[in-house]
Amino acid sequence: MDYVKDVLVSTDWVAEHKNDAGVRLIEVNEDILLYETGHIEGAVKVDWQGDFWTPVMREFIAPDELSAFLGRLGLKESDTLILYGDKSNWWASYAYWFLSYSGVKNLKLMNGGRQKWVAEGRELVTTPTKVTPTTYPALKRDESLRAYRDEVRAHIGKVESGEGAMVDVRSPDEFSGKVTHMPAYPQEGVLRGGHIPGAANIPWARATNEDGTFKSADELSALYGGEGVTPDKDVIAYCRIAERSSHSWFVLRELLGYPKVRNYDGSWTEWGNGVGLPIEKTYQDI
């Protein structure tokens, strides 16, 4: 079984084609200062929070603002955009999801991300990439790729009836309610630990190999199918703020071809603090 879509490129491919006309590299890291320490030649930087979120609201910038931003990066509608970053492409996947949601086409991920490129001893440069601004065309959002809080609440009934599935991609301790943060990360003010009722816990990292690349299509199909997350169901994925769930969304929709997969970007930071929202908690502090 092969991946359904041609949405991955190898580090070898990037090394060979990074200077081709119409190929543009975009680095998106959790550590927003990492790009300046060294990046692939020709890559431009995206700050996932500063560039994609509005400064006064927990919401994305408007489509026209995104078009203007992409134009400032010198990107064209016809370009093939190769996204990559740290943490096995967490934030590159988030950017892939957000750009897909916003209507941007011709997106791919560099399989293995920045960590694989560095592990292979490939060149990084510190020279800023020179760009020529463009006028990027208007964009239209695809709301079928995003889930909102009230839709997630209604979706619990679909999970119970067998029509839908919910995937919590966080660590088992987060899922159980033992902690409200990722391992080695600080607490972030969520009032309640646990998970959304009916969710299956399939941590995002189970979809990757040690070098950060994605597992085979057969392995991924068995992983999700074994937990009842099958292509016939309406699927919603979530984590803490949607970076890890974007990675799983990419696996399900782009690699396996599930027809209906949404990313709940509010995730546990919204749900765990939400008034009147039900949770399940399996951890017992004895």
Side-chain angles (χ1 to χ4, degrees):
M1 175 180 176
D2 296 324
Y3 299 134
V4 171
K5 297 183 182 180
D6 179 21
V7 289
L8 291 176
V9 295
S10 67
T11 52
D12 285 339
W13 188 95
V14 171
E16 183 178 350
H17 295 281
K18 58 185 173 63
N19 295 317
D20 289 1
V23 173
R24 299 299 308 276
L25 303 178
I26 303 174
E27 181 166 319
V28 195
N29 299 312
E30 178 189 63
D31 180 354
I32 60 173
L33 302 178
L34 197 56
Y35 174 89
E36 283 75 17
T37 69
H39 52 270
I40 301 176
E41 181 187 16
V44 294
K45 173 184 176 179
V46 165
D47 174 342
W48 55 270
Q49 189 171 16
D51 294 331
F52 287 166
W53 292 2
T54 69
V56 295
M57 184 185 299
R58 174 60 170 86
E59 182 54 278
F60 297 116
I61 59 175
D64 62 331
E65 294 174 303
L66 179 59
S67 290
F69 172 65
L70 297 178
R72 289 195 297 274
L73 292 181
L75 305 179
K76 301 175 183 177
E77 186 179 26
S78 59
D79 287 339
T80 297
L81 307 182
I82 311 298
L83 296 152
Y84 75 94
D86 62 358
K87 303 284 185 177
S88 299
N89 278 330
W90 274 4
W91 290 103
S93 297
Y94 181 80
Y96 186 108
W97 168 75
F98 172 63
L99 293 174
S100 296
Y101 163 66
S102 299
V104 177
K105 308 297 183 184
N106 305 322
L107 300 169
K108 296 179 186 288
L109 285 184
M110 184 176 78
N111 203 8
R114 179 186 171 101
Q115 70 198 65
K116 190 170 190 293
W117 182 273
V118 171
E120 293 169 346
R122 298 182 187 273
E123 181 185 20
L124 296 176
V125 301
T126 56
T127 305
T129 298
K130 294 181 180 180
V131 300
T132 301
T134 63
T135 300
Y136 201 90
L139 293 166
K140 182 179 180 181
R141 288 177 170 172
D142 181 355
E143 293 294 345
S144 71
L145 304 184
R146 184 182 184 187
Y148 297 87
R149 181 191 63 190
D150 291 344
E151 293 174 330
V152 174
R153 185 168 190 170
H155 194 72
I156 295 172
K158 280 192 170 184
V159 176
E160 292 172 345
S161 70
E163 297 177 66
M166 194 103 65
V167 183
D168 184 321
V169 314
R170 298 174 300 159
S171 66
D173 280 350
E174 290 172 272
F175 181 82
S176 72
K178 183 178 180 179
V179 300
T180 57
H181 57 92
M182 291 182 285
Y185 278 69
Q187 297 278 355
E188 294 185 294
V190 178
L191 294 175
R192 303 179 297 169
H195 57 270
I196 300 174
N201 186 209
I202 310 175
W204 73 274
R206 293 180 64 189
T208 62
N209 299 304
E210 288 187 8
D211 64 356
T213 59
F214 293 97
K215 290 183 177 177
S216 70
D218 287 333
E219 290 173 307
L220 294 173
S221 183
L223 170 63
Y224 290 96
E227 297 289 345
V229 182
T230 50
D232 59 304
K233 294 179 179 177
D234 180 358
V235 182
I236 292 177
Y238 73 93
C239 61
R240 178 183 58 102
I241 55 174
E243 83 289 12
R244 290 174 287 174
S245 56
S246 293
H247 190 279
S248 299
W249 172 90
F250 180 86
V251 169
L252 290 167
R253 188 177 189 274
E254 303 296 87
L255 298 185
L256 295 182
Y258 282 37
K260 193 166 186 180
V261 187
R262 288 175 286 169
N263 194 19
Y264 172 34
D265 65 290
S267 283
W268 196 254
T269 54
E270 178 178 52
W271 195 271
N273 282 323
V275 175
L277 297 177
I279 68 167
E280 290 180 344
K281 185 172 183 176
T282 57
Y283 175 74
Q284 299 295 325
D285 187 5
I286 299 175

